[in-house]
Amino acid sequence: MRHLTLVFIIAAFAMLSLSRLALAGWQHQRVRNAGGLRPIMLGGLRIDAHEIGVLAVAPAVLAPWFGHYPLATAITSVWLQFAWLLLVFMEVATPPFILEYDSRPNRLFVEYLKHPREVTGMLWRGFKVPVLGGTVIVILAAWLGHAMFSQPVPDAPMPWWLIPVVSLVALAIGILAIRGTLQHRPINPSTVAYCSDGMLNMLPLNSLYSVLYAIYSMKNEKSASAVYGNMPEADMHAQVLASAGLPYPPADAEFPSMHTQQPARPRQRPLNLVIILEESLGAQYVANLGGAPLTPNLDKLAELGWNFTRAYATGTRSVRGLEAVVTGFMPTPAQAVVKLPDAQRGFFTLADLLGRHGYHSRFIYGGEAHFDNMKGFFLGNGFDHIVDRGEFVDPQFVGTWGASDEDMFNQLHRLLSADGDQPTFTLAFTVSNHTPWEYPQGRIEPDGNPATVENTVRYADWALGRFFDQARQSPYWENTVFLIAADHDSRVSGASLVPVRHFQIPALMLGADIAPRRDDRLISQIDFGPTLLSLMGVQTQHPMLGRDLTQAPASDDGSGNDSGRAIMQYGDNYGYLKGDQLLVLGPQRPPAQFLYTAPEKYEPVAVDESLATEALAHALWPSWAYREGRYALPARHGAGQRASTARPAATMNAETTAQDTTSAGKTA
């Protein structure tokens, strides 16, 4: 038993060090630019000692007492083989994860385990070689682990007086290895972070540690203060409300961000709203935003509407984009509110707000809407109808993630054409532009290998252009405001604490009487909601803290080029970009500030304390609002009843749901 534990410790150190060395060699250019291999390998030894200590401390401490018993030896053998295989499996899973997310496996790795069908299909169709190669490696590792850690002969008994001594020494060494330090706080990922490249800061970790630490860190989900520090609550509110142009003290102390918004153009009959959220369509793929020439249809549409050239996503996942666009909620280091338990009922959404003005709201999605808990969140917060893969009739193409973009747009066009006089809000979410890059043949001329992100972007753009060719010739065009925006960029990465360029996304509002305009102001996804309401002509009360971009800010000189701000959550790092100043908050470390020059130049500058305070207030406020239940529409706010027409809410919902169902039934 003692021999087994010692062999495991040596083998685990060797395997993890070799894996880390291979990963660093793979990323040698970034490693060299950040200062070389030394901090990665030395920091890795500390983290590996922690993880190996967790796995081996119990056998090491108990070996002197029970190592001479055959049953104890057998149990230890099984445990160490399992621990060895787990360590190897996580390291084997690391390269594909880095390719996709520029990070070691983290909380996202755990979240995806909840959706085995979609993830298995994605891995098999998009990563066959890594999956097959990894399977072979894991099988060989299992064979090697069995050869190393199976010991049929128990240990020789130790003298009675030596047993407690050896056991206590093993315990002391194990505790020291697990803590990693004699200082007050035990080691954590920030202990071995050494540069501004977030991915390289994770190389000293091993992947089992990074996943387990992510699970452990979920206890901080409801409190950004546990990650970034705290400030007086009154100061937090004053900063956030002032930045949004709202008074402090607020008119409503219970719901401090609640305020009345007057539309830029009052209308006798407010316009319908369609939000088209494009999966993973970053600015890097859009020519009019300085990216690759892959979206000719979107570029043409940009000349017909209000084109925002400096729009930024709040995060790197779809649920974060949905959170910002549908609720206007600012990001936190926690999961997006779409998945948080206390946001499943009574949380503010555009659907809930517009429902109080007589609108019928629906969500159209080519995949299965239960993914990432979208269906539960939407139905619990104002959406009347979910149209997902199960309601698509005779789709042209179904891939790993669901029906193709053209199928989704076909459904959208049918439903909009059948709405008649019913005011509607439609959220349409595409799926095609996602690994493993699947789309129907014959729509585009692929460049090289068809299964690439560039070709799926071309297909997504083709489907978008085809829909708007139909929409512009349809009766609903004149009474509908459209927003085209991405949820986030694809494969967000970069050798910086917050890779700002990979947060830039296309954002375009068009339809109805919206005049063509190029807008170079710095904006965030949280600004979409208030701006759309203003264009629609809806006078209402809401808690959103984004800006109504139809209203020139007080600091504007008339050119529209105000300093603006964007908020970006990148893992545990929080980026607050104001003008050309990027303030970055990180877990348990002082803020850092950079002069940011597009597309990706960062010059460290002295921290502006007032900007750091403003950023911290914005990082803390959404956690407070979620925890206290203050981001909602109380009964006394809004337009009154759920439906402001003469029909009861239940009747309206039943009729409009039947209308959608009938329309869906005509999809053949």
Side-chain angles (χ1 to χ4, degrees):
M1 189 168 171
R2 296 191 299 271
H3 171 73
L4 290 180
T5 305
L6 181 60
V7 171
F8 172 80
I9 292 172
I10 295 172
F13 267 118
M15 184 274 294
L16 293 173
S17 296
L18 286 174
S19 174
R20 186 174 292 107
L21 189 62
L23 292 172
W26 175 34
Q27 301 289 336
H28 66 277
Q29 187 64 51
R30 292 169 72 172
V31 170
R32 184 173 61 184
N33 292 342
L37 191 60
R38 181 182 175 86
I40 293 175
M41 300 307 293
L42 291 181
L45 288 176
R46 296 182 67 185
I47 296 296
D48 292 348
H50 166 93
E51 200 62 44
I52 294 170
V54 170
L55 297 171
V57 67
V61 170
L62 296 175
W65 302 91
F66 304 105
H68 55 286
Y69 292 111
L71 179 60
T73 300
I75 293 173
T76 301
S77 173
V78 172
W79 166 249
L80 294 180
Q81 289 182 61
F82 170 77
W84 164 260
L85 197 59
L86 187 60
L87 286 170
V88 171
F89 172 79
M90 292 306 305
E91 293 303 306
V92 169
T94 299
F97 200 87
I98 290 178
L99 273 175
E100 188 71 15
Y101 301 108
D102 203 45
S103 169
R104 276 192 183 269
N106 51 24
R107 183 171 68 185
L108 182 57
F109 187 90
V110 180
E111 291 177 7
Y112 270 147
L113 294 179
K114 301 175 184 176
H115 306 283
R117 189 182 69 82
E118 290 89 346
V119 173
T120 301
M122 177 185 70
L123 291 175
W124 180 246
R125 298 187 189 187
F127 300 91
K128 284 187 177 70
V129 173
V131 167
L132 292 174
T135 301
V136 171
I137 293 174
V138 170
I139 292 173
L140 291 175
W143 171 82
L144 181 61
H146 180 73
M148 289 190 296
F149 309 131
S150 59
Q151 178 181 317
V153 181
D155 298 335
M158 298 179 65
W160 67 267
W161 58 269
L162 193 57
I163 292 175
V165 175
V166 174
S167 186
L168 286 174
V169 170
L171 180 62
I173 294 173
I175 291 174
L176 180 60
I178 293 170
R179 283 187 55 82
T181 178
L182 294 175
Q183 297 180 0
H184 175 64
R185 294 184 180 275
I187 61 169
N188 59 48
S190 64
T191 306
V192 296
Y194 73 101
C195 68
S196 62
D197 187 331
M199 193 279 289
L200 294 188
N201 284 337
M202 295 198 74
L203 283 191
L205 312 181
N206 59 69
S207 293
L208 179 60
Y209 175 91
S210 66
V211 167
L212 293 178
Y213 188 84
I215 295 172
Y216 166 79
S217 298
M218 289 180 181
K219 67 184 179 64
N220 293 329
E221 279 195 338
K222 297 181 181 179
S223 176
S225 61
V227 181
Y228 305 126
N230 215 335
M231 67 188 304
E233 193 172 290
D235 294 346
M236 174 189 71
H237 289 304
Q239 285 279 347
V240 171
L241 295 180
S243 296
L246 301 178
Y248 184 82
D252 188 335
E254 185 178 2
F255 297 90
S257 67
M258 192 70 64
H259 62 282
T260 299
Q261 179 179 329
Q262 299 289 343
R265 181 181 302 176
R267 302 177 188 271
Q268 184 175 1
R269 193 260 194 204
L271 300 176
N272 296 330
L273 173 62
V274 175
I275 295 178
I276 298 171
L277 211 57
E278 290 281 340
E279 171 69 50
S280 302
L281 187 63
Q284 63 173 312
Y285 305 116
V286 181
N288 83 81
L289 301 179
L294 301 175
T295 58
N297 291 293
L298 181 58
D299 292 332
K300 290 177 184 177
L301 290 171
E303 300 175 358
L304 303 176
W306 188 359
N307 185 32
F308 299 95
T309 63
R310 297 182 65 204
Y312 288 85
T314 60
T316 61
R317 292 212 56 211
S318 297
V319 283
R320 188 67 77 191
L322 289 166
E323 170 188 68
V325 174
V326 178
T327 77
F329 199 61
M330 296 185 292
T332 73
Q335 292 182 345
V337 293
V338 176
K339 303 179 75 171
L340 293 181
D342 290 346
Q344 300 307 303
R345 295 290 185 274
F347 198 85
F348 173 81
T349 66
L350 286 173
D352 186 17
L353 174 67
L354 293 173
R356 302 179 186 218
H357 290 265
Y359 281 69
H360 175 68
S361 296
R362 61 194 166 216
F363 173 50
I364 305 178
Y365 179 57
E368 296 182 359
H370 65 77
F371 186 79
D372 272 344
N373 197 53
M374 294 184 293
K375 184 175 184 178
F377 178 81
F378 288 150
L379 290 179
N381 291 295
F383 281 83
D384 301 295
H385 189 200
I386 304 297
V387 185
D388 66 358
R389 168 68 185 88
E391 292 202 27
F392 281 33
V393 179
D394 193 24
Q396 298 298 304
F397 179 85
V398 178
T400 299
W401 291 95
S404 68
D405 286 5
E406 65 188 86
D407 291 306
M408 187 280 292
F409 281 124
N410 287 342
Q411 187 78 352
L412 174 60
H413 176 65
R414 292 185 190 98
L415 294 176
L416 293 177
S417 299
D419 281 336
D421 293 331
Q422 169 64 53
T424 58
F425 162 43
T426 306
L427 172 65
F429 189 17
T430 69
V431 300
S432 293
N433 188 34
H434 196 294
T435 49
W437 321 124
E438 300 168 307
Y439 53 90
Q441 296 181 355
R443 274 56 170 180
I444 63 166
E445 187 65 36
D447 184 6
N449 176 18
T452 64
V453 63
E454 290 79 13
N455 284 324
T456 54
V457 168
R458 291 187 178 96
Y459 168 72
D461 180 71
W462 174 87
L464 181 72
R466 176 174 172 269
F467 166 73
F468 274 100
D469 286 343
Q470 293 177 307
R472 292 172 61 201
Q473 304 301 319
S474 300
Y476 59 76
W477 175 261
E478 297 298 331
N479 63 1
T480 304
V481 173
F482 293 86
L483 166 67
I484 306 169
D487 56 351
H488 57 81
D489 196 1
S490 69
R491 293 182 175 175
V492 178
S493 62
S496 55
L497 294 175
V498 178
V500 175
R501 170 59 174 170
H502 285 288
F503 280 78
Q504 188 179 2
I505 58 171
L508 171 65
M509 297 179 187
L510 70 168
D513 52 5
I514 298 176
R517 174 186 177 188
R518 177 186 172 96
D519 195 327
D520 296 325
R521 287 180 291 178
L522 175 63
I523 69 168
S524 170
Q525 281 176 325
I526 67 170
D527 298 322
F528 295 159
T531 305
L532 290 168
L533 291 174
S534 189
L535 291 173
M536 294 163 65
V538 177
Q539 178 180 336
T540 190
Q541 288 181 304
H542 63 74
M544 291 185 288
L545 289 163
R547 299 188 299 169
D548 174 4
L549 299 171
T550 66
Q551 307 294 325
S555 60
D556 199 346
D557 61 5
S559 66
N561 296 320
D562 68 302
S563 61
R565 61 89 186 88
I567 302 169
M568 293 159 277
Q569 189 75 45
Y570 184 54
D572 284 337
N573 289 340
Y574 183 92
Y576 191 82
L577 180 62
K578 190 171 185 181
D580 59 3
Q581 297 297 312
L582 174 65
L583 196 291
V584 179
L585 302 175
Q588 290 86 48
R589 63 172 181 261
Q593 189 169 332
F594 304 87
L595 174 64
Y596 172 72
T597 306
E600 201 75 354
K601 184 179 178 180
Y602 306 85
E603 179 184 341
V605 296
V607 173
D608 180 341
E609 294 301 328
S610 63
L611 182 60
T613 300
E614 182 179 336
L616 179 59
H618 283 78
L620 298 177
W621 194 92
S623 288
W624 172 87
Y626 169 78
R627 182 180 65 250
E628 301 296 327
R630 306 300 174 84
Y631 199 77
L633 287 176
R636 64 181 181 277
H637 292 291
Q641 300 300 316
R642 178 71 177 87
S644 58
T645 62
R647 293 174 295 169
T651 303
M652 184 195 74
N653 289 345
E655 290 178 2
T656 50
T657 300
Q659 178 190 58
D660 277 356
T661 304
T662 302
S663 180
K666 300 176 183 177
T667 309

